[in-house]
Amino acid sequence: MKENFIRYALDNAAIVVMTDARGTITFANKKFCEISGYSKEELVGSNHRILRSGIHRREFFRMMYQKITAGHIWHGEICNRRKDGSLYWVDTTIVPHIAGAGTVDGYVAIRFDITTRKELEEELQINIKHLETAANTDFLTDLPNRRLFSQHMEDLISRSGKESGTFHLAILDIDLFKEINDSFGHEMGDYLLKVIASRLRAVMDDHVFIARLGGDEFGIILDRERSVENLELFEKILDAVREPITIGSITRYSSASMGCAAFPQHGRDAASLLQAADIALYRAKALGRDRVEVFNNESMQAVKRKSQLLSDVDIGLRSEEFMFFYQPILYPASCPAISFEALARWHHPQRGIVSPADFHIALTDPATCAIFGLYMLDHVFVDMATMRARGIRFGRVGINLTNADFRSDVFLERFFNRCTETGIGPEQFSVEVTETMLLGRDQRRVERGLQQLHDAGVEVVLDDFGTGYASLTHLREFPIDRLKIDRRFVSNIETSSEDYVIVRGIIDIAHGLGKTVTAEGIETAQQAKILLDMRCDSLQGWLFSKACALEDLYSAVQEIPEILRKLDCQPAMKAQAPHLA
């Protein structure tokens, strides 16, 4: 009685078929007939091979038969073919029937339809491939982007180092590109980039890798052995750029400058090679542009100047000449308290206030950058305590981190010690990182450090999102809480339908993944209104306030409610006011 009930329940829940030792079907239940499209009369007496789809290789069935003929149960997923030719997937368990003599005289196969699941998995894999392709491709030119360029270079360094090989790296920069943008508009500038990219693509082959690194800058890697051939190809590339381009009704002649470095002569890691190529590029521009320069002794003069800058920065840090300006970040619809981003300035004894653009080269040195990170940490904590004392209420203060901050545990230990000493908790900080920090050899150390900060309540922000460097994979794998849309998209959002769609897409993707978004570089009320209509969570830019010194911050913050009132942000304005009193 009990066995009959179990058989009845199984027959109604699963697809069941029985065969003899040779695979001839001896029984098929109703569900098997329904999914296969065959009647019971057609199935019984036929060999089970009539269901084969041709999807699985011969080795798949050989392994399966080897197991069940030995009397062992087999479990797996099989694709079968219906009578009408369509395919379906089943999760299958095959149980051998052992006769009294110990031999297998038949099999019972119990199956469950998983076709819908397999179709969804296939669709998901296709979508993932499309996303990965998009993450590795520059949206404007369809060339590989900086992310893929960095990966390719790291792979080549690893391979060439093991094989004692060599390759050349070049950075190409279009001459006077800003003038073209200013004269003809960004649309024509984008058109020029597309034309140049198509000409560069024409020279790509198995030994030539070309990517758009950002703006009007392209990266070229040649892994041919002969240096003469590589230099000849660089000249060929410059010739291609020189070909006339029709922009609107005007035929224009363009040119480019290139800086070249060789592995391993000019560097044994990606950072050193890029730095050498950058120095050579600077040399090419200084010599009149429209040329290629190889890193050499003359280029070393630039290195000496950098060395002098490093020395000056070191003195500046010891003399506490560096200070931090703070730019407000507003959350009009959700958060009553203003947040700030800390931005470094150098109060140079001769030159006055110097922006990072004039000393950032010194911070490419890992040791200097690590020291600067600790200096920043100490001073920002002091500044936050001063804000509190002056009645400036704030949500979080953002600090910009680099790989150097994670190369040892010193930075994180200093951070948590300062939190304990000052009573300023981790939840009042955000840390901004860039895509390049999530790539390369320091990736795991950076990931562990960010996770530790995130778990303690620090908000993790991915900066410059949308420039082609960022990967959707990183949004899934790293503890990212907020994205910052690059100012280049925000600046054109009023006039460029493409930038409008990109910004809206970034916001929708971020919200779909449970993350918030900041738009930076906002300069007009119309830009702010468009972004608020897109449900952008927070806004930052000169419209609200420039980055200002600590002593000017209180007065700058007091002007913000009036700006928000003009934007018709009534709920945020009312909530904001108590925090500005």
Side-chain angles (χ1 to χ4, degrees), residues 227-488:
S227 298
V228 174
E229 290 182 358
N230 289 337
L231 293 176
E232 288 176 352
L233 182 60
F234 289 144
E235 290 293 349
K236 181 180 178 181
I237 289 172
L238 291 181
D239 285 339
V241 175
R242 294 181 187 115
E243 290 293 319
I245 299 175
T246 301
I247 301 178
S249 58
I250 300 173
T251 298
R252 183 179 176 87
Y253 293 87
S254 295
S255 65
S257 301
M258 294 177 67
C260 173
F263 175 89
Q265 297 95 313
H266 302 145
R268 292 185 173 273
D269 57 61
S272 299
L273 283 171
L274 285 169
Q275 182 183 7
D278 262 328
I279 290 172
L281 174 62
Y282 179 83
R283 173 74 175 165
K285 287 182 173 293
L287 291 174
R289 303 187 178 92
D290 191 22
R291 60 191 297 140
V292 57
E293 284 293 316
V294 180
F295 183 82
N296 55 28
N297 289 331
E298 291 184 11
S299 300
M300 283 300 297
Q301 297 302 318
V303 176
K304 290 181 179 179
R305 287 191 292 273
K306 178 183 175 181
S307 178
Q308 182 60 52
L309 179 60
L310 284 170
S311 176
D312 292 344
V313 168
D314 180 63
I315 294 172
L317 289 171
R318 294 175 186 273
S319 305
E320 297 197 358
E321 295 170 0
F322 289 89
M323 58 193 299
F324 293 89
F325 282 22
Y326 294 86
Q327 186 172 37
I329 302 173
L330 310 183
Y331 291 77
S334 62
C335 182
I338 295 173
S339 290
F340 298 101
E341 180 182 0
L343 299 167
R345 297 291 186 269
W346 187 0
H347 195 177
H348 196 279
Q350 283 82 41
R351 299 166 59 192
I353 300 298
V354 178
S355 71
D358 291 324
F359 62 83
H360 78 280
I361 293 179
L363 299 184
T364 60
D365 176 71
T368 302
C369 196
I371 294 170
F372 189 89
L374 296 174
Y375 179 97
M376 169 190 68
L377 205 56
D378 290 341
H379 284 71
V380 169
F381 267 101
V382 172
D383 288 349
M384 291 171 72
T386 303
M387 290 182 201
R388 283 181 168 184
R390 295 180 180 177
I392 302 174
R393 301 281 298 276
F394 55 87
R396 295 178 185 267
V397 172
I399 55 178
N400 292 274
L401 302 189
T402 67
N403 290 66
D405 298 318
F406 296 99
R407 285 183 175 156
S408 73
D409 295 329
V410 174
F411 182 89
L412 292 179
E413 289 175 357
R414 177 81 62 91
F415 173 78
F416 288 113
N417 286 339
R418 291 291 182 267
C419 286
T420 302
E421 294 167 1
T422 62
I424 300 173
E427 69 281 356
Q428 291 199 273
F429 282 89
S430 58
V431 294
E432 297 194 13
V433 297
T434 60
E435 166 82 5
T436 53
M437 292 177 60
L438 310 181
L439 300 172
R441 299 174 182 176
D442 296 325
Q443 176 180 333
R444 290 185 180 179
R445 185 179 290 275
V446 170
E447 182 179 3
R448 284 196 302 268
L450 290 178
Q451 190 66 58
Q452 187 176 348
L453 291 167
H454 181 268
D455 292 342
V458 177
E459 181 189 44
V460 180
V461 183
L462 184 59
D463 200 8
D464 296 331
F465 192 83
T467 58
Y469 307 167
S471 163
L472 296 175
T473 303
H474 292 140
L475 299 186
R476 184 180 62 199
E477 295 179 351
F478 288 84
I480 305 297
D481 299 300
R482 176 159 56 97
L483 308 181
K484 293 190 80 170
I485 301 175
D486 188 80
R487 65 181 65 246
R488 279 172 282 184

Side-chain angles (χ1 to χ4, degrees), residues 79-103:
C79 180
N80 285 336
R81 188 177 298 278
R82 296 185 180 91
K83 183 179 179 179
D84 64 7
S86 60
L87 303 178
Y88 65 95
W89 283 87
V90 283
D91 183 283
T92 303
T93 301
I94 301 177
V95 182
H97 182 266
I98 312 297
T103 58

